[in-house]
Amino acid sequence: AVARDLQFYRTPEAAADELVNRAGPCDGARILEPSCGDGAILDALRRYATKNRLSLRATGVEYDAARAEATRAKGYGVMQANFLQVQPDPVFDFVLMNPPFYGKHYQKHVEHARKFLKPGGVLYAILPITAVTDHEYIKPGRGCDVWRDLPPGSFSESGTNINTGIARFFSVND
């Protein structure tokens, strides 16, 4: 199961920037990036914070030791662990993520990640289009209210042509 969970497709810069811009974190926000890989979304957060003169407090979780170390080398705080085994602590204003897409596995990641949000917190996730078309995962009543397609081929530079979008979810406590 962990081997399948490690499907690593780096989040392209344009998709990471779109995710962060969509979230629009404010000064002082606490942000979690589960399964952060090499820190592409954390990099986008840094660009956003620099451009908008904000102070953001971001934390990553990454299972793969080499990627966790590479992300730490960029100056980010990263816990090396299997995200699905990390005990939730609902202290984050935002969770920004690109979870593994294998089957419906992304759903486990999103549902676990929602538990890390404080009341009023918001999660934005890059998900496969099948979350809408085949799995009926994106719909009101499941803690989700928004889906926006990313341009076709957004992940082609990362080795996959799966169509994707960004979904917004709310804390399990809301």
Side-chain angles (χ1 to χ4, degrees):
V2 171
R4 281 187 271 213
D5 186 41
L6 289 177
Q7 284 185 303
F8 178 67
Y9 294 99
R10 184 177 199 284
T11 308
E13 186 174 307
D17 286 340
E18 179 67 21
L19 180 71
V20 172
N21 287 329
R22 180 89 28 94
C26 56
D27 196 40
R30 288 190 71 181
I31 303 163
L32 174 65
E33 184 191 354
S35 304
C36 68
D38 63 2
I41 294 172
L42 294 170
D43 290 340
L45 280 165
R46 182 178 279 166
R47 287 189 297 274
Y48 181 87
T50 300
K51 176 183 174 186
N52 294 290
R53 298 181 181 186
L54 301 174
S55 175
L56 302 176
R57 298 176 291 162
T59 302
V61 178
E62 174 54 43
Y63 181 81
D64 182 78
R67 286 194 292 267
E69 185 53 38
T71 304
R72 277 190 211 104
K74 295 181 189 180
Y76 302 120
V78 178
M79 173 194 304
Q80 185 185 339
N82 180 334
F83 174 67
L84 294 176
Q85 296 175 351
V86 175
Q87 181 66 34
D89 186 9
V91 298
F92 293 94
D93 301 295
F94 294 92
V95 173
L96 303 180
M97 62 192 303
N98 173 20
F101 292 172
Y102 177 78
K104 294 182 181 180
H105 201 61
Y106 64 88
Q107 295 176 13
K108 292 178 189 177
H109 285 257
V110 169
E111 294 307 318
H112 189 61
R114 289 177 60 209
K115 297 173 188 171
F116 288 78
L117 290 168
K118 67 183 187 182
V122 184
L123 180 153
Y124 288 85
I126 296 173
L127 299 177
I129 193 72
T130 54
V132 175
T133 60
D134 298 350
H135 304 155
E136 297 181 2
Y137 183 63
I138 306 302
K139 56 185 173 183
R142 196 182 299 274
C144 173
D145 76 337
V146 170
W147 171 269
R148 290 200 185 151
D149 290 334
L150 286 172
S154 289
F155 275 74
S156 61
E157 70 184 60
S158 299
T160 184
N161 283 318
I162 189 166
N163 288 327
T164 56
I166 297 175
R168 180 173 70 179
F169 296 83
F170 301 101
S171 164
V172 294
N173 301 311
D174 290 332

